[in-house]
Amino acid sequence: MRLSFIRPISCCSVSSPATSVKLQKPLFLRPPTFKTTISDLKKWHLWAKSLTCSVGSTFLELDNGPDSELLLRELNWLVEDAIQTPKSFLQQPHKNYNDNSSVSIRASLEQLYMLWKQRVEERRPFQYVVGCEHWRDLVLSVQEGVLIPRPETELIVDLVNDAIKENEELREGLWADLGTGSGALAIGIARILGSSGRVVATDLSPVAAAVASYNVQRYDLEEKVHVKQGSWFEPLRDNEGEFVGLVSNPPYIPSKDIGGLQAEVGRHEPRLALDGGASGMNDLIHLCDGAFSMLKPGGFFAFETNGDEQSKFLVHYIETKKQGNFSKVKMVSDFAGIQRFITGFRGR
Amino acid sequence: MVRSVFKSFLNLPKTITNISILTPSFYRPNSISIPRSYSTTRIYLSVGKKIGSLFSVPVGEQFQEFGSLFSAKYSTNGDGSVDTGIGGREYLLMSDEELMKQCELSTFKASGPGGQHRNKRESAVRLKHSPTGIIAQAVEDRSQHMNRASALSRLRALLALKVRNNIDLDTYTPPQELLQILPAKSTIRGSNCGPQIGPNNPKFALGMQALLDLLFAVEGSVSDAAKKLGLSTGALSRLLLSDDNLRMAVNEFRVSKGIKPLK
């Protein structure tokens, strides 16, 4: 099925986010309309590899960025996305230097030179270079202005799944993904809900709202996921008290740490999606404060945090300041063993 | 319920040098090995915070690593068999979810705070199956979720290859899952078996396990096993050689019994 590039969202009550934003189509979805020869492509690939190898571990030492080995893996992924038949190209690395047969690619050779230069020299995130990120079993479109979904966040969908299994009411109810970014959580959750389950995804950024809408369309979920532009709970006022679940990966990095981030993150990703104020918890506290009135009794919440310290603080905050409002409030660790999430239920 | 017994068959004395070189990598918190294809395995060793690809080894040696881990965890009897009270077949019959519950899941111990701080696309997943100590890992996919699925299907293959069910040759009749992977010309394969299941089918692991159980019971003799399966020796050899994992496991066992490997 061919997808229309931008389609207005019919149910969007706050604003139509897609109108003024220029969407970038992921490389792998573009038609392979450019032609080059195997030997020219080989030349590009060799050039890209040698540029990559020259990085060594300098980025790693500088700001904990990628080393050349990680970059080489990304280069393979770029080849996968850019070439119509990547396997035959990658699997015969030394055979075809003089091969003048034609190969179809999804961007011009000049663009490929430019893209990899941007990746290495400007530290442009790989996901912006190819315009997508693989997240769970999804491939989500991303572009500048939208936070690239992180592997840690994949776990929130599993946490939601666990909660749904315990309580079927949650499967058919209304969910919200606050600060949806690319729409990752909203889409991941919509795909595990029952036929009457719905997700409202909000984001303050018009770019994020537009990209999220595009991703929702790509997965044929327009009926299930409604994207609304606006700050946190504001676009949800009409449904106050009706939600069976809230999830969010809000900005949680303390402002003072933004300057020290690896260049891919600090220089290229939207500060709006990263900077959580002095303590990093401005938005998380706002979410904890608002969750009670948004949720139905028995409703579930899962929020991602900066890790151990913030999670401990927030669990304590909910247990003392919101005494009796919530039950089973706990921290959940990510795959690396960091207490990355807080979850709980609104009391009945 | 009959208690099943499985054997560790991989602690071969001749490979001890390799084991002592390779095993420590598994005990380092950040180490990862990736069966990238069936023919080679790349071992990633960590140096401080950095993960570097240092060398490749043939997949046979990968089995030895797993074998050494495996026998390190259990004290084995004289014949190398161990008793866990549950057979390999039960593991393979479990749903993904049930099997995951038996596994410790870990990923790269990311340096620093992770989450929004980090953009490194390291989505490696490592599953350790607690009852057997078998470890399966995946790093080649672009998302954590997909790596988890790859690691789990790899774990199923490893369980099929390494965990043996005891069979009684006198009363032996091949189980349905074994019949399903046999070629149609097998004389004991009824028409109710459906088309032959190949290595890409998730059900293949279960049939492969049953086939290895039989081959171990007949001490590695392809002709003896072929008789039990209503096949010619040549036809069974072709089946054994059709999947790299299966071929490696059979040949490793045959070599340990002093029989020449299949080619």
Side-chain angles (χ1 to χ4, degrees):
Chain A
M1 191 192 77
R2 206 127 310 275
L3 286 155
S4 63
F5 209 51
I6 299 169
R7 193 151 27 134
I9 290 114
S10 54
C11 54
C12 192
S13 62
V14 175
S15 71
S16 175
T19 43
S20 57
V21 176
K22 195 170 183 303
L23 283 174
Q24 237 183 60
K25 195 167 195 157
L27 182 59
F28 83 103
L29 287 176
R30 292 178 212 164
T33 46
F34 299 90
K35 298 266 183 236
T36 184
T37 61
I38 292 274
S39 69
D40 281 346
L41 198 59
K42 271 286 140 180
K43 269 181 218 149
W44 166 78
H45 197 227
L46 272 181
W47 163 84
K49 278 203 275 193
S50 87
L51 181 66
T52 307
C53 290
S54 71
V55 169
S57 58
T58 45
F59 299 163
L60 186 74
E61 282 149 23
L62 190 70
D63 58 14
N64 204 12
D67 63 2
S68 50
E69 200 202 341
L70 266 167
L71 289 167
L72 283 172
R73 206 181 299 162
E74 292 180 356
L75 180 61
N76 275 349
W77 290 331
L78 173 59
V79 170
E80 277 175 20
D81 282 5
I83 304 176
Q84 201 180 17
T85 51
K87 274 194 179 148
S88 58
F89 177 78
L90 286 172
Q91 281 166 5
Q92 304 181 333
H94 305 296
K95 282 187 183 164
N96 34 23
Y97 290 106
N98 300 317
D99 191 338
N100 282 320
S101 57
S102 153
V103 53
S104 298
I105 48 179
R106 300 178 199 281
S108 70
L109 204 56
E110 292 71 39
Q111 281 173 310
L112 290 184
Y113 275 100
M114 185 193 72
L115 287 172
W116 198 248
K117 227 173 142 83
Q118 289 172 341
R119 174 68 192 105
V120 177
E121 290 176 3
E122 293 167 28
R123 306 277 306 270
R124 188 180 181 209
F126 175 74
Q127 297 87 342
Y128 291 157
V129 167
V130 291
C132 74
E133 172 65 320
H134 291 231
W135 190 86
R136 291 185 70 85
D137 51 346
L138 309 169
V139 184
L140 298 164
S141 169
V142 292
Q143 66 183 54
E144 266 85 358
V146 180
L147 184 81
I148 298 158
R150 302 294 199 263
E152 284 87 346
T153 313
E154 294 185 21
L155 254 180
I156 292 185
V157 181
D158 295 304
L159 298 175
V160 169
N161 200 31
D162 292 344
I164 283 176
K165 280 195 184 145
E166 295 282 304
N167 178 0
E168 282 295 313
E169 219 179 295
L170 302 184
R171 189 185 298 278
E172 302 296 339
L174 184 62
W175 287 74
D177 172 15
L178 301 144
T180 192
S182 60
L185 278 174
I187 292 167
I189 291 168
R191 280 156 59 96
I192 58 172
L193 292 183
S195 54
S196 56
R198 296 284 181 275
V199 187
V200 185
T202 73
D203 207 296
L204 183 58
S205 150
V207 185
V211 170
S213 304
Y214 174 69
N215 284 322
V216 167
Q217 286 166 33
R218 276 235 317 129
Y219 284 95
D220 280 330
L221 289 168
E222 296 102 313
E223 297 296 311
K224 280 189 112 69
V225 182
H226 302 167
V227 180
K228 295 187 176 191
Q229 195 198 327
S231 174
W232 304 124
F233 298 110
E234 267 163 39
L236 308 179
R237 289 296 162 209
D238 294 347
N239 301 97
E240 208 161 333
E242 293 173 17
F243 290 90
V244 297
L246 301 177
V247 296
S248 183
N249 173 21
Y252 52 62
I253 298 175
S255 304
K256 64 172 171 28
D257 296 343
I258 296 284
L261 290 170
Q262 75 173 95
E264 282 81 2
V265 180
R267 247 193 256 162
H268 296 273
E269 288 197 275
R271 186 161 183 152
L272 182 69
L274 299 168
D275 188 342
S279 69
M281 288 189 286
N282 286 2
D283 301 294
L284 276 161
I285 288 171
H286 180 68
L287 292 174
C288 291
D289 288 343
F292 182 78
S293 66
M294 280 293 154
L295 283 172
K296 271 183 164 174
F300 173 76
F301 72 85
F303 300 143
E304 182 172 327
T305 82
N306 201 25
D308 306 335
E309 209 179 297
Q310 285 191 2
S311 289
K312 265 181 221 148
F313 176 91
L314 291 165
V315 168
H316 180 76
Y317 178 80
I318 292 170
E319 281 172 348
T320 53
K321 297 270 166 56
K322 314 274 157 203
Q323 220 170 3
N325 286 359
F326 295 98
S327 65
K328 291 190 261 178
V329 178
K330 63 172 184 186
M331 300 185 277
V332 180
S333 53
D334 62 19
F335 292 145
I338 296 170
Q339 304 278 7
R340 175 70 57 195
F341 313 99
I342 55 166
T343 65
F345 295 84
R346 190 189 144 159
R348 286 196 181 266
Chain B
M1 191 75 198
V2 183
R3 282 199 310 168
S4 315
V5 169
F6 65 93
K7 290 177 181 176
S8 161
F9 60 90
L10 295 156
N11 41 355
L12 310 174
K14 70 174 178 61
T15 60
I16 275 173
T17 350
N18 284 335
I19 290 170
S20 58
I21 294 167
L22 292 169
T23 302
S25 69
F26 273 94
Y27 292 107
R28 296 184 194 180
N30 290 348
S31 74
I32 284 289
S33 96
I34 309 99
R36 208 164 247 291
S37 69
Y38 284 120
S39 56
T40 60
T41 296
R42 211 181 279 182
I43 306 291
Y44 283 72
L45 290 180
S46 63
V47 184
K49 290 172 181 172
K50 181 180 162 232
I51 292 120
S53 166
L54 297 186
F55 54 92
S56 295
V57 293
V59 77
E61 287 170 43
Q62 172 213 349
F63 291 163
Q64 286 149 18
E65 292 165 53
F66 287 121
S68 70
L69 250 192
F70 181 61
S71 48
K73 185 164 166 125
Y74 294 98
S75 57
T76 53
N77 304 328
D79 62 352
S81 66
V82 278
D83 191 347
T84 62
I86 181 170
R89 189 160 186 275
E90 277 86 344
Y91 294 132
L92 291 187
L93 288 173
M94 287 177 180
S95 68
D96 283 356
E97 227 166 47
E98 290 167 326
L99 199 54
M100 276 301 283
K101 280 196 187 132
Q102 296 195 324
C103 290
E104 287 167 40
L105 177 79
S106 53
T107 55
F108 280 106
K109 192 83 183 170
S111 55
Q116 288 166 9
H117 294 258
R118 185 178 176 84
N119 176 1
K120 277 206 187 171
R121 292 183 72 111
E122 283 165 357
S123 310
V125 168
R126 175 184 196 264
L127 291 178
K128 180 174 177 184
H129 184 241
S130 304
T132 58
I134 290 174
I135 290 173
Q137 327 194 47
V139 72
E140 70 280 8
D141 285 312
R142 284 159 76 164
S143 86
Q144 195 126 71
H145 185 82
M146 297 302 274
N147 274 325
R148 193 153 50 143
S150 302
L152 200 59
S153 87
R154 217 158 272 163
L155 175 66
R156 285 185 184 278
L158 287 166
L159 284 167
L161 293 167
K162 303 201 177 309
V163 186
R164 296 277 61 85
N165 303 286
N166 257 7
I167 56 176
D168 182 351
L169 281 176
D170 296 333
T171 59
Y172 182 75
T173 46
Q176 179 76 4
E177 63 260 20
L178 174 48
L179 295 176
Q180 285 177 329
I181 70 166
L182 297 180
K185 61 185 149 195
S186 161
T187 55
I188 59 159
R189 194 181 196 279
S191 54
N192 56 341
C193 286
Q196 185 184 8
I197 281 175
N200 291 331
N201 189 313
K203 286 183 187 161
F204 186 79
L206 207 54
M208 176 166 80
Q209 186 182 49
L211 181 53
L212 285 168
D213 290 340
L214 175 62
L215 272 158
F216 274 57
V218 297
E219 307 277 311
S221 161
V222 176
S223 59
D224 288 355
K227 275 178 215 147
K228 297 274 182 196
L229 299 174
L231 284 173
S232 68
T233 307
L236 181 57
S237 297
R238 276 193 291 283
L239 175 61
L240 293 172
L241 293 172
S242 69
D243 178 68
D244 286 339
N245 282 327
L246 187 56
R247 176 177 52 82
M248 307 284 303
V250 169
N251 281 342
E252 212 162 330
F253 181 65
R254 282 171 66 93
V255 169
S256 78
K257 291 281 169 189
I259 314 173
K260 66 176 189 331
L262 299 174
K263 275 185 186 150

